[in-house]
Structures are given as C-alpha cells and as structure tokens.
Amino acid sequence: MNILNVIAALVAAFLLSACAGAPSRITEYLSGFPPPPENPPQVALPLAVGLVVALPEDERSKPTTPSNDTLEKVAQRIRAELQASLQITVQRIFPALTIPAGGLRGLALERVQALAQEGNFTKMIVVVATSQTASKIRFTVVQETQLYVSMEAALVEVPSGRLLMTESGRDDYVMADVLDYTARISFPRLYYRNFTFGGPFTVVQGDPYKALGWEAFRGAADQLGMKLRQRLSPAAVS
C-alpha cells in the first residue's frame, strides 16, 4: 500500500475514533465566560432560547464549508430536533457568526450578550462548527475525500454567561471522484462512512465539495439537536 494511503487511513481512523463519544470542546472557543460548574443545575422547562452558529475564519475558506444560506438550513435542523420536544422552543435563529482565526477563545461573552439583548432572550444556545478532511486513493484512479464535522454547543444563561449544559454532534461523509476525467460516469458520488464507493451512493449534481459539506454538516447538526433534546427533555425521547 502506498505510504500516503497508509497515513490517510491512520488519520481517518483517529478522527473517527475522536468522533465517538468525545466530550464537548465548546469551552475552548469561549472567551469571558465563567468556568462551567462541576454540577450544572437542572434546566427548567419549558425552555425558550435563541440559537446562533459560529464558524472560525479558517473554516470559512474551506471549499466544503456551507454558505450562510446553507448554514441557516443547518441551524434549522438543530431547531427541528430540539422542537421534537414540546417543552423546547427555538424562537429565533441568528445569522451565522465568524470568529477569529482557528476559533480558539474567539467567541466573546459580550457578543453573545448583544445577540441575546437584541432578541430579548435570557438563554442562548451557541454552536461552534469546525471540520477536517482526510483523503486516500483507491485502485489508483478513485480519490476519496472524507469530511469530519464537529459541532460544539453550550446552553448559556444570559447575562451571567453561566454554562447550563454543553454537548457535541459529530458526523462524517465521503466523496469519491475519479482521477481519469474521461471516465466520469456516475462520479463524483457521496456515501456514508459505513458504505463503500460501490454503493449505496448519491451522484453529485453541482459543486461536489459543497454537496459533501452539506451532508456532513447536516448530519452533525441532527446529532447535536437530538442529543441536546434527549438531555433537556428526557421524557420526550421516544
């Protein structure tokens, strides 16, 4: 096996293991917030919140990163999962934010407080989305690009900045394309990590990188919304 393929496979295995059951890293992206309590208080229901998604500047330059319009659709999926509980209402989705550089300590409490004041919210859900890719070559002519998306979130009590809950959602999808551009029948194609490039798959129409980004960001959003709902409103879990 080519050494580059071996390295790509090891990176993929590492990222995939990191996706499974890892604790939320949201505090790495927050600035000016008090340390999270060892024993967070029970969140009272019913709950009405505002929701905002933030992306680091470095993320914005990636070809797989969704546009602002698509990010709103991603946020709507988080809302839909949360509102599967009748006890939770996302009253407003704010436009996506950009935080400096790689995002570490980039989301200031004052920025979240300003949004909350604008919408008259006492509680906000803040989400920071990031991604990584790993690539490998199959059969010398098929290039696979695997996109790993992490969404780190916190339920914030405003204006104190106290973190009432933290959670994460992670997912990944694969795009396969052929290096021989004279044989592009049924390429490029997208498939979930548990499948192979032989199927089942979706043939991409349009920008394949944006299509890959949508699938992975959508999947991570669904996971995040579901996990938050299950923790906030356990009685609503079917």
Side-chain angles (χ1 to χ4, degrees):
M1 182 182 290
N2 185 291
I3 186 64
L4 293 179
N5 287 354
V6 173
I7 294 173
L10 290 173
V11 171
F14 170 78
L15 291 173
L16 185 56
S17 64
C19 284
S24 176
R25 297 171 49 238
I26 185 64
T27 56
E28 297 179 15
Y29 300 102
L30 303 179
S31 174
F33 291 73
E38 291 185 7
N39 299 301
Q42 182 72 31
V43 178
L45 298 176
L47 176 67
V49 297
L51 170 64
V52 64
V53 177
L55 278 80
E57 284 179 326
D58 292 352
E59 192 67 35
R60 290 285 194 178
S61 63
K62 297 177 181 178
T64 50
T65 299
S67 65
N68 281 343
D69 288 344
T70 304
L71 284 171
E72 183 173 353
K73 296 178 182 177
V74 168
Q76 287 170 356
R77 297 188 73 95
I78 300 174
R79 168 195 262 171
E81 282 289 346
L82 285 166
Q83 294 187 163
S85 166
L86 299 179
Q87 296 292 307
I88 306 171
T89 304
V90 178
Q91 294 183 325
R92 181 173 175 182
I93 296 174
F94 290 89
L97 302 177
T98 301
I99 54 181
L104 296 182
R105 304 287 179 250
L107 183 55
L109 174 58
E110 292 79 7
R111 202 169 180 184
V112 176
Q113 289 171 331
L115 291 179
Q117 185 175 13
E118 178 184 334
N120 197 28
F121 292 109
T122 59
K123 294 181 178 67
M124 292 278 294
I125 293 177
V126 296
V127 180
V128 177
T130 59
S131 68
Q132 298 182 63
T133 57
S135 297
K136 60 183 176 183
I137 304 296
R138 286 185 181 273
F139 311 121
T140 72
V141 294
V142 176
Q143 177 171 303
E144 289 186 337
T145 301
Q146 191 159 8
L147 178 66
Y148 300 82
V149 172
S150 293
M151 291 197 176
E152 312 296 333
L155 173 61
V156 180
E157 183 181 70
V158 184
S160 69
R162 183 170 60 155
L163 304 185
L164 302 178
M165 181 177 293
T166 63
E167 191 51 87
S168 62
R170 300 181 174 103
D171 207 357
D172 57 283
Y173 261 78
V174 181
M175 178 185 71
D177 204 357
V178 288
L179 302 178
D180 180 1
Y181 290 93
T182 64
R184 292 183 63 83
I185 299 175
S186 297
F187 283 94
R189 57 182 64 168
L190 296 178
Y191 47 90
Y192 198 55
R193 63 170 179 264
N194 292 339
F195 304 142
T196 71
F197 76 95
F201 58 83
T202 300
V203 178
V204 177
Q205 303 295 326
D207 186 332
Y209 290 97
K210 292 300 182 186
L212 175 61
W214 163 248
E215 293 294 344
F217 276 79
R218 170 189 65 80
D222 290 348
Q223 290 290 322
L224 174 62
M226 178 186 67
K227 290 165 73 175
L228 282 171
R229 169 173 51 82
Q230 289 174 343
R231 291 183 60 194
L232 286 166
S233 185
V237 179
S238 57

